[in-house]
């Protein structure tokens, strides 16, 4: 479990643990933050987002599912909106213009993007990337990387919250 300044790595042993780390992150987000989620189908991207939503104050019980066909879900958090994007079925990044991509990044809310690696150029480079990899039936390796100063700050805060929660 080594970590360098701009990356943070840990493992989870259950879906609840993955959601729990997401919840820690959700409590740290501020409007304008962008989170990219990377990993195969079933890696736990949506589970992580479900935790983030809880941490950001989206009422428990509010459904948080992959917006695979709708592309965008919007949740109402404690103080602002959570935009949940899924690029899996997007055929062309120009389709993102139709959903007001620039507005989603403009600070009205936090943006979470599943399959962020499909169209990385459609996203700001200063984003926090969460890469999940299945390492056993209920085990996931999670790598958190920062792409710039804003996400680096978030990464450091997440590492701090993770260590004090452990
Ligand atoms: N440690 C874990 N972290 C996240 N999900 C896990 C874990 N162990 C088992 N799972 C299961 O893996 C699946 C992850 O699904 P989901 O979050 O929808 O993935 P994705 O959005 O990446 O396709 C769920 O069925 C969940 O219960
Ligand atoms: Mg998903």
């Amino acid at each position: 479990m080594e970590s360098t300044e701009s990356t943070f790595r840990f493992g989870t042993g259950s879906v609840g643990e993955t959601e729990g780390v997401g919840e820690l992150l959700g409590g740290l987000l501020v409007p304008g933050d962008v989170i990219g989620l990377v990993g195969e189908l079933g890696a736990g991207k949506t589970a992580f987002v479900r935790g983030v939503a809880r941490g950001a104050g989206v009422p428990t019980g509010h459904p948080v599912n992959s917006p695979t066909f709708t592309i965008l879900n919007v949740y109402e958090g404690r103080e602002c909106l959570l935009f949940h994007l899924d690029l899996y079925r997007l055929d062309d990044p120009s389709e993102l213009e139709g959903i007001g991509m620039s507005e989603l990044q403009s600070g009205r809310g936090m943006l979470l993007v599943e399959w962020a690696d499909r169209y990385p150029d459609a996203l700001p480079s200063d984003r926090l990337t969460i890469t999940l990899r299945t390492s056993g039936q209920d085990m996931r390796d999670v790598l958190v990387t920062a792409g710039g100063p804003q996400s680096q700050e978030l990464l450091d805060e997440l590492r701090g919250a993770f260590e004090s929660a452990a």
Side-chain angles (χ1 to χ4, degrees):
M1 209 169 285
E2 92 268 18
S3 296
T4 57
E5 202 205 336
S6 60
T7 71
F8 169 42
R9 194 186 284 275
F10 56 90
T12 67
S14 69
V15 61
E17 248 183 80
T18 298
E19 288 174 0
V21 183
E23 188 170 357
L24 289 177
L25 179 62
L28 300 169
L29 293 180
V30 296
D33 281 336
V34 178
I35 312 296
L37 295 123
V38 173
E40 292 302 309
L41 276 175
K45 301 179 294 299
T46 301
F48 191 89
V49 173
R50 197 169 287 130
V52 170
R54 202 192 304 148
V58 175
T60 26
H62 186 93
V64 173
N65 299 309
S66 285
T68 308
F69 294 98
T70 52
I71 302 192
L72 175 68
N73 286 345
V74 182
Y75 316 116
E76 216 170 308
R78 219 172 354 259
E79 272 150 14
C80 57
L81 300 174
L82 225 65
F83 302 112
H84 183 189
L85 267 177
D86 187 334
L87 305 185
Y88 187 58
R89 295 209 175 265
L90 201 75
D91 293 319
D92 193 283
S94 66
E95 290 173 46
L96 288 171
E97 286 158 29
I99 61 166
M101 192 61 184
S102 53
E103 218 192 313
L104 300 186
Q105 297 168 30
S106 70
R108 275 201 307 143
M110 293 82 92
L111 175 61
L112 294 125
V113 186
E114 295 195 38
W115 297 96
D117 51 334
R118 287 207 63 198
Y119 300 108
D121 295 342
L123 302 170
S125 57
D126 191 355
R127 62 181 184 272
L128 195 72
T129 300
I130 314 283
T131 304
L132 297 122
R133 197 175 58 84
T134 302
S135 54
Q137 189 173 329
D138 292 328
M139 314 242 296
R140 302 291 186 269
D141 282 333
V142 187
L143 175 68
V144 185
T145 55
Q150 186 178 340
S151 49
Q152 180 63 50
E153 198 175 316
L154 198 51
L155 186 152
D156 292 336
E157 285 174 12
L158 177 64
R159 198 201 322 256
F162 184 89
E163 281 162 6
S164 47

